[in-house]
Amino acid sequence: MGLTARTTEHPTASSRQNHSKHRRAQHVCLALAAVALLACMGCADGTSSGASQTQTSAAHNEWTWVGGAQTVNQPESYGTKGTASAANIPGARTGGVSWTDASGNFWLFGGTSEYHLPSPEYLNDLWEYSNGQWVWMSGSIGYNQEGVYGTLGVAAAGNTPGARQYALAWTDKAGNFWLFGGIGFDAQGTLGEMNDLWRYSPGAGQWTWVGGASSANTYSGLSWPVCRERSVGWTDTAGNFWLYGGASEANLISDLWTFSPVTGQWTEKGQGVGLPYPPANQTPIYGTQGVASGSSFPGAREWSNNWTDTSGTLWLFGGIGYDSTGASGSLNDLWKYSAGQWTWVSGSNLANQNGVYGTQGVAASANTPAPRAEAATWTDASGNLWLFGGAQPGTDLNDLWKYGGGEWTWVGGSQLSGQPGIYGAQGTPSSSNIPGARFGSATWTDGNGYLWLFGGGANLTAFNDLWKYQP
């Protein structure tokens, strides 16, 4: 059902704390609805990458329904751990994280399902998608599992992060997967916001607890990011990880951090340095549109949308947060971060503005997507930024946008919210196919340039459909 915007004034600390407790109890943080899923078993169709094998070639700007169900809230079919099968399929979920390994295979971890609302069902299962089939690699079949941390810094077959959603994920230059924070279950089985950092080796098949606390809602000092969920993250060309903002202890935060997987050290950057930590509920400083500044920054926000372009510039779009007047709501501002400075690139500096679609397929400087949170994002081989769907207050979207050459293009999907998907024939691309409105999907880009999407949520339902798109 989309997400509920925050109030138009800065909420009090007590109101945020009460809201946070309600959010966790309902599992749908801040009223973002759960996931509508698709569990038809055939997940085979794709490209010649390690992830899949092509049956029918797609033309440009065509979606292909690859697998999963056309019906929502489907359960997992795990099969045998470590064994691929055409019958295997992850269940419907939202807010999981994804990686791509060195062979081009896709990986998926955690998220939440919505089978038994209002009770939350957090997941910590790890899946690999390769050669058109899913493999359940590790984690639990059950829900709401506590983490097994083992010894700090030591990989072990029994280690596994607790069930969670809205974590951050990165891949290092050695091909290891990294996972940070989110909302989920700690070593004691307590549900809360986390700041634990994990590394997974796809080759060894083992998790390592690298740092942060094994207990939820725990402060780890000024040299480590606070517990949080719904942040955004990037990887730069040097292989460093970045994170920005999110929600922590019922506040929205605006701190910027970078982590070196070589040294194992976090470093705080940007506007949060020197302020009481963490910087909470800050109003953004937009500055002059198109002009980089050391004083500009996007302010406190959560559920933003992010990319890294081919030159290593970090990009951020929208989310839920504060605008230039201090009012909170749904945002559609576009920012980039490069050489230590933020630039407000386009979009409005006010919350809850309308989008400008223009003519479908035609780029224009006046075009801008409507405000949204938790959209699906990709960067293509040409460095264009892609945006699909996302959540608005009370509803969800399925419009597809491309940003390149300093202009937005509305590529496809509907200008209307809450639209159902058009699946077509499984494995067959078509210009009329389109995933239904949703938020919180997992995404990948394969070696042949296809953009992939799995699951997500809409209208208190969850999906487990798998799609690919040929830009």
Side-chain angles (χ1 to χ4, degrees), residues 42-107:
C43 283
D45 262 80
T47 72
S48 58
S49 73
S52 54
Q53 299 168 336
T54 303
Q55 292 183 0
T56 304
S57 297
H60 290 293
N61 301 321
E62 288 186 339
W63 285 98
T64 304
W65 167 43
V66 177
Q70 296 187 37
T71 51
V72 301
N73 297 340
Q74 299 299 304
E76 299 84 356
S77 177
Y78 282 95
T80 302
K81 185 181 291 187
T83 302
S85 169
N88 295 348
I89 184 77
R93 67 191 64 203
T94 185
V97 298
S98 56
W99 305 271
T100 303
D101 68 23
S103 299
N105 302 315
F106 305 155
W107 293 73

Side-chain angles (χ1 to χ4, degrees), residues 284-296:
I285 298 174
Y286 281 84
T288 302
Q289 189 170 332
V291 178
S293 170
S295 61
S296 297

